[in-house]
Amino acid sequence: MAKLLYRVGRFAFEKRRLVVLLWVGLLAALAIGAASAPPAPPDTFSIPGTESQQAFDLLEQRFPGTKSDGAQARIVFVAPEGQQIGSDANKAVVERIVADVSSGAQVKGVLDPFQTGAVSKNGSTAYATVSYGATSDNLTDATKTALTDAMHTGESAGVTVEIGGSALQAKPEMAGATEAIGIAIAAIVLMITFGAFAAAGLPLITALIGIGVGIAAIVAIGMSTTTTTLAMMLGLAVGIDYALFIVSRYRTERAEGYSAAEAAGRAVGTAGSAVVFAGLTVVIALAGLAVVGIPALTKMGLAAAGTVAVAVTIALTLLPALLGFFQNAVLPKASRTARDGRDNPPADRVPAGKPGMGTRWARFVVRRPVAVLVIGLVGMGALALPMTSLELGMPGDEAQPTSTTQRRAYDALAEGFGPGFNGPLTVALDVKGVSDPRAAVERATSTLAATEGVVSVSPAMFNQAGDAAMVTVVPATGPSTTATKDLVHTLRGEASDLQTATGATMLVTGATAMNIDVSQKMADALLPYLAVVVGLAILLLMVVFRSIAVPIKAALGFLLSVGAAFGVIVAVFQWGWLADLIGVHQTGPVMSMMPIFLIGVVFGLAMDYEVFLVTRMREAFAHGETAHEAIVTGFRHSGRVVVAAAAIMIAVFAGFIGGGEPMIKMMGLGLAAAVFFDAFIVRMTLVPAVLALLGDKAWWLPGWLARILPNVDVEGESLNRHEAVEPERELESVRA
């Protein structure tokens, strides 16, 4: 592989104008395609194979025009202090608001509170449910204005009106000021690392081009823009990191006396090999999200995987082409000045007798591996302790700040009707082929009403054909409580008795039931997902390092990083530690999708640093150094760059903490924390300690396995034997 990538890098360097033109042309073509592409189909969230989805599909089939993913609004009416909402004056206000809202073009139906009995026992509060024929993302401004006008109408008449549900749900925020801050921090870190504007700018330029190509392609092929958040986050982070490693290796090769063209080829052949395998681990982890079986998560993973693949391709082709235009400008100022005087000093070499911080740290760990390992494991274990309190769910309006009408509507319903009104269950009844459908539905309704934990059951609503009915069950407890979860299982357990007695099929769904099904589906998919992703990655790392111990150690270190990251998420989002600092307005359960999502992304990123750091150790060991010397050499060459790469990735991810959506905040914090723990504690501390304890055994591979595994030559040994890569001393100054 090293020879192939060497030729790719050298070709891109020598044909730099053609390569740059091709990438610019591709970006322009995709941008035009994205601009002219028809609007993407509305986002739908489905969980195939679950009872919730079966019920939604049944209702959509039997009740034509009803969309399971359609937006819904709850208009909550609260009478002035000491008054009844059913008084003549207040009732007239409610009926006028209901009539105004129901006239909207996208409205499928409005349930009048006085006709459905949706009035609290004390008579102070009522609510009307509005169903729409479009998702919340596709509601028109006129539709949303009708809801906000309802609030003003009520206010002018003295009735408090609040709006809950998904109709006024804000669209996920894309890149903004916080992300720009992350990029600015990345630029500063690059400048400190390289000491040259060109060297700092090239990784940023190539990463932004990669993001442009990836996002434009996603939009052009018709994928929803909501899938781009993860793609943007990861594409930017890995794009900078991959370019950073290749530029750093280019500078090192120039320091060894190679010409610019030769250094570019060797940088792509060596560091580029590490980039390819690091990128493959990320792509495997992201594409593996398809194992879960949730289409929305699969699309998000595939979109991000495609963007990472683009970042790898750009690092191998566009970056060496750009190096051709900035051959000396990417070198430190002192080195450029010396080259102008036809001297050829090392660009990145540390002066003799003055070992860098990475070298000193590696020597410290090698001398005291047991103590370092114990302290590191204890510290990571302590950070992971909060994970034992992890609670999963799908936070709703209760997670909104109290300044929003959604949160005020939630609180008003909980106060007037009980907490269960914020998490109603929808029960679908299939009575097709039943001899007496109405009797079967009446029996089901009676059974539901008699179940402990149920506050009320709405009258059954039949479809036109009379072969299906729908009822709403209100629990006594809130949507995210264990009691409500148990109630859902109880109701589903009653379905078999009902079918035996009447032949009717009863299915329980609704947002609360769907959250339960999502959590269960995630739990069921976790072990298969880990087996597929971790298994493939271990095999891949065996090929890279030609070792058994190193890949297994890498996987175990990843588990420590994930555990500590989840500890931070639980402490902030469930316990409320430092919640105000990052704008978390309400503590609650962690998103159901977060565990498997974070595991997939963090695994890929964790293997990045493993590959970048340990390949230099493997390279030194393969060139004759002892196991301990190889650890120090690896840190001398890669330690500083890995620190810079981690700092950049943390800055990029931390920028998303400023997003308005709780899930985006959680993603940003979880990924930033995981990268910090993995890069600085696991890879920079625990990995050298374990390798020091294992010694030569770390690089042991059985002979039979060595014959089976392909030798991809990540160390670039073949380049040292290749006649085209003999050191070429520069005889004349090269234009910057």
Side-chain angles (χ1 to χ4, degrees):
M1 173 174 284
K3 285 184 179 180
L4 172 63
L5 293 180
Y6 165 81
R7 289 194 290 268
V8 169
R10 183 128 189 179
F11 173 84
F13 182 94
E14 294 172 348
K15 305 295 183 181
R16 46 188 173 273
R17 290 178 176 80
L18 173 63
V19 172
V20 171
L21 182 62
L22 289 175
W23 276 108
V24 172
L26 177 62
L27 177 60
L30 288 173
I32 294 172
S36 59
D43 289 328
T44 58
F45 184 81
S46 62
I47 40 177
T50 62
E51 181 168 324
S52 292
Q53 191 62 46
Q54 292 173 15
F56 275 136
D57 293 342
L58 174 67
L59 293 175
E60 192 167 354
Q61 178 185 3
R62 302 291 179 85
F63 291 81
T66 301
K67 294 180 65 65
S68 62
D69 59 344
Q72 192 177 71
R74 263 188 175 178
I75 307 177
V76 183
F77 307 93
V78 181
E81 185 71 27
Q83 296 185 24
Q84 298 286 300
I85 196 66
S87 66
D88 291 342
N90 292 333
K91 184 177 181 180
V93 174
V94 172
E95 290 177 341
R96 183 175 52 176
I97 291 175
V98 168
D100 290 342
V101 172
S102 62
S103 63
Q106 293 180 302
V107 175
K108 290 297 182 183
V110 181
L111 300 180
D112 188 299
F114 301 111
Q115 296 178 6
T116 60
V119 180
S120 63
K121 290 183 179 180
N122 62 9
S124 64
T125 308
Y127 69 90
T129 302
V130 185
S131 300
Y132 296 93
T135 63
S136 58
D137 287 343
N138 291 289
L139 293 182
T140 63
D141 291 339
T143 298
K144 294 181 179 181
T145 300
L147 292 174
T148 55
D149 287 346
M151 298 172 61
H152 299 315
T153 300
E155 182 181 2
S156 62
V159 175
T160 299
V161 178
E162 305 292 354
I163 311 295
S166 61
L168 294 182
Q169 179 179 330
K171 294 184 179 180
E173 297 178 5
M174 300 303 290
T178 53
E179 291 81 351
I181 292 173
I183 295 175
I185 294 174
I188 294 172
V189 172
L190 287 168
M191 191 63 202
I192 293 173
T193 302
F194 288 133
F197 283 108
L202 287 185
L204 290 173
I205 292 171
T206 54
L208 291 174
I209 291 175
I211 287 294
V213 170
I215 299 302
I218 289 171
V219 176
I221 64 177
M223 294 183 72
S224 170
T225 54
T226 57
T227 63
T228 61
T229 300
L230 178 61
M232 182 181 299
M233 186 185 293
L234 286 181
L236 182 61
V238 302
I240 294 174
D241 277 7
Y242 295 163
L244 167 64
F245 279 94
I246 291 178
V247 170
S248 177
R249 189 59 182 254
Y250 170 83
R251 285 156 57 106
T252 300
E253 298 297 338
R254 292 296 301 275
E256 296 296 329
Y258 291 101
S259 68
E262 189 65 23
R266 291 178 67 86
V268 175
T270 53
S273 297
V275 165
V276 168
F277 283 99
L280 276 176
T281 59
V282 180
V283 169
I284 288 172
L286 293 170
L289 292 173
V291 173
V292 181
I294 296 180
L297 197 60
T298 299
K299 291 178 182 178
M300 188 180 292
L302 292 177
T307 306
V308 171
V310 170
V312 171
T313 307
I314 282 181
L316 300 178
T317 57
L318 180 60
L319 180 59
L322 293 177
L323 285 172
F325 293 102
F326 302 95
Q327 297 173 18
N328 287 346
V330 298
L331 304 179
K333 183 177 181 180
S335 180
R336 295 198 302 272
T337 302
R339 286 178 183 277
D340 290 340
R342 304 217 175 186
D343 192 6
N344 196 30
D348 288 337
R349 191 174 296 162
V350 178
K354 295 182 180 180
M357 184 177 294
T359 301
R360 295 196 299 271
W361 174 250
R363 289 173 179 169
F364 172 82
V365 174
V366 167
R367 287 196 301 267
R368 301 172 180 82
V370 175
V372 170
L373 185 61
V374 170
I375 293 173
L377 290 176
V378 171
M380 293 290 281
L383 288 168
L385 275 178
M387 189 178 66
T388 58
S389 301
L390 178 66
E391 297 177 6
L392 299 178
M394 295 292 285
D397 288 344
E398 76 276 10
Q400 299 282 347
T402 54
S403 59
T404 63
T405 184
Q406 293 95 326
R407 174 62 186 278
R408 293 194 297 268
Y410 181 96
D411 292 341
L413 286 172
E415 182 178 352
F417 297 89
F421 266 77
N422 287 300
L425 304 173
T426 300
V427 177
L429 294 161
D430 184 1
V431 291
K432 189 174 184 179
V434 175
S435 57
D436 191 346
R438 293 199 172 271
V441 171
E442 288 177 4
R443 176 163 180 164
T445 303
S446 301
T447 301
L448 293 171
T451 303
E452 184 178 357
V454 172
V455 172
S456 64
V457 179
S458 70
M461 182 174 67
F462 280 85
N463 64 342
Q464 284 187 342
D467 58 2
M470 176 174 57
V471 297
T472 300
V473 176
V474 177
T477 50
S480 59
T481 62
T482 302
T484 302
K485 179 179 179 180
D486 294 339
L487 175 62
V488 170
H489 290 310
T490 299
L491 296 179
R492 287 175 171 173
E494 294 172 347
S496 59
D497 293 337
L498 178 68
Q499 187 168 31
T500 301
T502 66
T505 299
M506 184 171 75
L507 301 170
V508 181
T509 187
T512 301
M514 177 176 281
N515 292 342
I516 295 170
D517 289 342
V518 168
S519 298
Q520 187 61 50
K521 196 172 183 68
M522 293 291 180
D524 293 342
L526 185 58
L527 287 180
Y529 176 71
L530 282 175
V532 170
V533 173
V534 176
L536 288 175
I538 286 178
L539 290 175
L540 192 64
L541 293 178
M542 281 186 182
V543 172
V544 175
F545 298 122
R546 302 192 69 76
S547 163
I548 292 179
V550 172
I552 294 175
K553 166 197 60 62
L556 293 177
F558 147 75
L559 294 177
L560 288 175
S561 302
V562 167
F566 271 119
V568 170
I569 288 175
V570 170
V572 173
F573 288 90
Q574 281 186 211
W575 296 356
W577 293 5
L578 303 178
D580 292 338
L581 186 64
I582 65 172
V584 177
H585 303 285
Q586 180 71 30
T587 58
V590 174
M591 294 269 187
S592 297
M593 287 191 291
M594 189 55 60
I596 204 163
F597 162 78
L598 193 64
I599 285 171
V601 175
V602 171
F603 184 81
L605 299 179
M607 296 306 103
D608 270 9
Y609 298 114
E610 181 77 14
V611 170
F612 290 138
L613 186 61
V614 182
T615 48
R616 291 308 296 258
M617 299 179 189
R618 170 68 186 173
E619 183 177 340
F621 184 78
H623 291 167
E625 295 187 14
T626 66
H628 285 189
E629 290 171 347
I631 294 172
V632 176
T633 299
F635 268 80
R636 182 169 64 250
H637 287 293
S638 296
R640 185 184 182 193
V641 182
V642 167
V643 168
I648 290 169
M649 197 169 281
I650 291 169
V652 172
F653 290 151
F656 287 82
I657 297 176
E661 290 293 310
M663 185 170 183
I664 301 300
K665 286 181 180 291
M666 203 175 291
M667 286 167 54
L669 178 64
L671 290 174
V675 169
F676 175 83
F677 297 139
D678 195 83
F680 294 107
I681 299 180
V682 174
R683 309 301 156 188
M684 303 285 288
T685 305
L686 300 183
V687 164
V690 172
L691 291 178
L693 289 173
L694 291 175
D696 291 353
K697 295 178 182 178
W699 308 108
W700 175 77
L701 188 68
W704 63 269
L705 187 56
R707 290 188 294 271
I708 294 174
L709 293 178
N711 188 354
V712 295
D713 187 26
V714 176
E715 304 87 11
E717 183 66 24
S718 61
L719 297 183
N720 294 328
R721 301 191 301 266
H722 195 271
E723 61 180 3
V725 296
E726 290 298 320
E728 302 175 37
R729 294 290 178 182
E730 294 178 324
L731 300 178
E732 58 180 343
S733 178
V734 184
R735 292 194 307 274

